[in-house]
Amino acid sequence: MSSDILYTTDAEKMSVAVDEAIKGLAEGGIPIGAALFDEDGRLLGSGHNQRVQGDNPALHGETAAFLNAGRQKSYRRTTMVTTLSPCWYCSGLVRQFGIGRVVVGDTVNFYGGQDWLEENGTAVTTLNDPELIKIMGDFIAANPELWNEDIGEE
């Protein structure tokens, strides 16, 4: 999926993840999107949460982006951009493959394992974008049971 377009700022990179989140919401799913970029800002892969659409609990936004990026020799110099703070599952993916940096769009509606990532050498940048906070907040308010299922709450 690698492209020749360079996304040089965090905002430009986040726009790819936001487009994915909106796509997921339009499909009737949870509005969480993510994208993986190389060190030069080339998009390697993007994706969105597909737990509902694909009836697949393993397809979170970050895992979808990771899968769509395909195999890389190393992930140390890559950046994972995600519209929502990564859950423990997705934080584990970042740690397992040594993704060097994570950019988070929203920590207000959910705060996952990003402290753990930082404590273990991953650079984390938080944007707390008002648009993303509203999209996710509105979704959670309208779909509390689905949201609780997604984060493993009863």
Side-chain angles (χ1 to χ4, degrees):
M1 178 182 239
S2 184
S3 73
D4 292 328
I5 299 170
L6 295 182
Y7 297 83
T8 57
T9 68
D10 288 346
E12 289 172 342
K13 291 172 183 153
M14 185 60 70
S15 71
V16 176
V18 171
D19 288 347
E20 288 286 349
I22 299 302
K23 186 186 302 183
L25 184 61
E27 294 171 353
I30 300 165
I32 302 170
L36 187 67
F37 296 88
D38 73 9
E39 65 184 315
D40 296 321
R42 282 183 192 84
L43 176 63
L44 299 172
S46 63
H48 54 276
N49 186 303
Q50 296 176 50
R51 295 185 77 247
V52 175
Q53 308 90 302
D55 195 29
N56 185 337
L59 275 181
H60 287 208
E62 296 89 339
T63 57
F66 181 78
L67 290 170
N68 288 330
R71 189 171 153 203
Q72 307 294 313
K73 288 183 180 180
S74 173
Y75 296 89
R76 299 248 177 257
R77 293 186 174 144
T78 63
T79 297
M80 177 69 76
V81 179
T82 179
T83 58
L84 188 66
S85 182
C87 68
W88 285 105
Y89 171 61
C90 295
S91 294
L93 178 139
V94 169
R95 284 287 319 280
Q96 174 68 34
F97 291 95
I99 293 171
R101 183 168 183 252
V102 176
V103 178
V104 179
D106 171 11
T107 63
V108 173
N109 287 296
F110 179 77
Y111 198 94
Q114 64 190 73
D115 288 343
W116 177 69
L117 290 174
E118 283 186 298
E119 290 164 6
N120 287 280
T122 304
V124 178
T125 301
T126 301
L127 303 179
N128 274 335
D129 179 272
E131 174 191 7
L132 292 175
I133 293 167
K134 179 173 179 11
I135 290 168
M136 199 68 221
D138 290 350
F139 177 83
I140 293 169
N143 303 279
E145 288 182 19
L146 183 57
W147 172 243
N148 287 334
E149 175 189 325
D150 194 62
I151 60 170
E153 298 287 328
E154 291 186 30

